[in-house]
Amino acid sequence: MQTRFSFGGDEHIFAEVDESMSLEAFFKSLFITNAVRDAKIKGVTEICPANASYQVKFDPDLIEPDDMLAELKRLDSAAEKSEPIIATRIIEIPVLYDDPWTRETLMRFRERHQDPNGTDLEYAARINNLDGIDAFIKAHSSSPWFVSMVGFVAGLPFLYQMVERKRQIQAPKYLRPRTDTPKLTVGHGGCFSCIYSVRGAGGYQMFGITPMPIYDPNQKISYLRDFMCLFKPGDIVKWKPIERPAYDEAVADVEAGRFSPTIRDVSFSLTEFNRDIDGYNRKLEGVLHGH
């Protein structure tokens, strides 16, 4: 995997780890951005990891651009030789699939969709050769997903499915973006799922909604008091399908300040994962539920 570096003016370096997204490319990007942070390189002001790339902003008065590039190339070389293991978290996210709010929204914007006669779930199930909505929900929720980057709007995670590429869910974005998406919608575009942290425009297919806030600029929600955004790159998400009564109960718990998400610390080995993907995913789920 040969990283391609380019300068952005006098104070940015962009590194493309690979042209296509893969867990290997993501891991290398995450390893290097963590190493840049840990090295406390003089002059570095911002570090931004992405799906298969990263960008570093620096003060050219404190470090020469060529010196910054040399530091990144040194870390890149170290990443090639390192064992791909990260200390991270696995987070359970409850989802009400086929909910009334995203359904109402998607019907309002049907003329912008590839299939004006069905729902986003029905369309995604069909193009992924799955036998209806229930089979699609099982395929979407049965395996964990990596948070590969956070952005677009504050707190929005991009999630990459942790299965072999041939089993990954694929779904194109809308033909034209919507002007409305409900807050906390679980969406999908290309090979990435996401959670819309706020209400607003969007073009991803809409599959459901979670009652669990992931962004709180006021930091009043108990698990968001330390930082307003829940996710960071490297987090692992496990979807938990729920029915409407459980959704309503969770919303009431959030409003009453008693909602407590299931979050566990975990060590993730890419080598062990690749050796037995389904077995490793079962092991992660065991960690999540204390088995």
Side-chain angles (χ1 to χ4, degrees):
M1 214 179 297
Q2 185 66 45
T3 303
R4 185 166 63 188
F5 295 95
S6 56
F7 286 107
D10 293 331
E11 54 184 23
H12 292 90
I13 293 178
F14 174 72
E16 184 182 56
V17 175
D18 204 349
E19 288 186 355
S20 61
M21 171 63 188
S22 67
L23 285 179
E24 286 75 16
F26 162 67
F27 253 69
K28 186 175 178 183
S29 170
L30 189 64
F31 177 93
I32 294 170
T33 50
N34 284 343
V36 171
R37 186 190 63 236
D38 294 343
K40 295 182 170 55
I41 299 168
K42 180 182 65 175
V44 171
T45 56
E46 287 185 57
I47 307 164
C48 183
N51 298 321
S53 62
Y54 63 92
Q55 185 164 287
V56 175
K57 184 180 181 183
F58 58 93
D59 184 344
D61 290 332
L62 295 177
I63 184 169
E64 290 287 334
D66 286 342
D67 292 339
M68 186 71 240
L69 180 59
E71 290 279 2
L72 294 181
K73 286 184 174 179
R74 178 180 63 79
L75 294 172
D76 187 89
S77 178
E80 289 287 349
K81 302 168 189 156
S82 69
E83 180 70 17
I85 298 174
I86 59 169
T88 185
R89 308 178 296 173
I90 183 165
I91 304 170
E92 186 173 74
I93 305 290
V95 183
L96 177 60
Y97 288 92
D98 201 16
D99 66 281
W101 304 283
T102 59
R103 178 182 276 264
E104 184 278 328
T105 304
L106 65 87
M107 295 311 292
R108 271 193 283 134
F109 293 96
R110 231 50 218 149
E111 81 287 353
R112 304 183 185 210
H113 195 273
Q114 292 85 350
D115 180 7
N117 299 312
T119 67
D120 292 8
L121 272 170
E122 290 166 342
Y123 170 71
R126 188 176 76 251
I127 66 171
N128 283 280
N129 300 310
L130 293 164
D131 187 19
I133 289 175
D134 289 344
F136 181 85
I137 292 171
K138 184 176 180 182
H140 187 266
S141 62
S142 59
S143 58
W145 298 65
F146 252 116
V147 176
S148 57
M149 62 179 285
V150 180
F152 177 66
V153 294
L156 183 150
F158 288 83
L159 300 138
Y160 187 76
Q161 195 174 20
M162 294 165 60
V163 294
E164 300 91 340
R165 193 173 289 261
K166 65 183 179 183
R167 289 165 55 195
Q168 286 180 340
I169 291 167
Q170 304 278 346
K173 294 190 286 187
Y174 275 43
L175 298 173
R176 287 187 296 129
R178 301 176 302 275
T179 55
D180 191 20
T181 308
K183 179 183 177 182
L184 297 178
T185 289
V186 174
H188 196 97
C191 67
F192 291 102
S193 265
C194 79
I195 305 171
Y196 285 80
S197 52
V198 295
R199 183 179 181 180
Y204 278 18
Q205 308 288 334
M206 295 185 288
F207 297 155
I209 202 161
T210 176
M212 178 176 159
I214 62 168
Y215 170 62
D216 178 18
N218 299 314
Q219 294 176 247
K220 297 279 178 63
I221 295 170
S222 60
Y223 57 91
L224 296 174
R225 280 181 189 141
D226 291 337
F227 191 62
M228 65 182 69
C229 300
L230 173 64
F231 295 111
K232 55 191 175 189
D235 282 340
I236 300 170
V237 163
K238 185 67 172 61
W239 309 114
K240 178 186 178 183
I242 59 173
E243 300 298 328
R244 180 64 189 270
Y247 174 88
D248 291 341
E249 182 180 354
V251 169
D253 286 345
V254 169
E255 290 175 353
R258 58 176 179 260
F259 183 85
S260 180
T262 302
I263 302 174
R264 301 282 186 265
D265 293 329
V266 66
S267 175
F268 181 88
S269 165
L270 184 59
T271 302
E272 288 186 31
F273 172 80
N274 284 331
R275 196 176 292 139
D276 178 12
I277 291 175
D278 290 337
Y280 200 83
N281 284 342
R282 286 192 295 272
K283 178 180 167 185
L284 288 172
E285 190 154 8
V287 171
L288 184 64
H289 296 120
H291 300 158

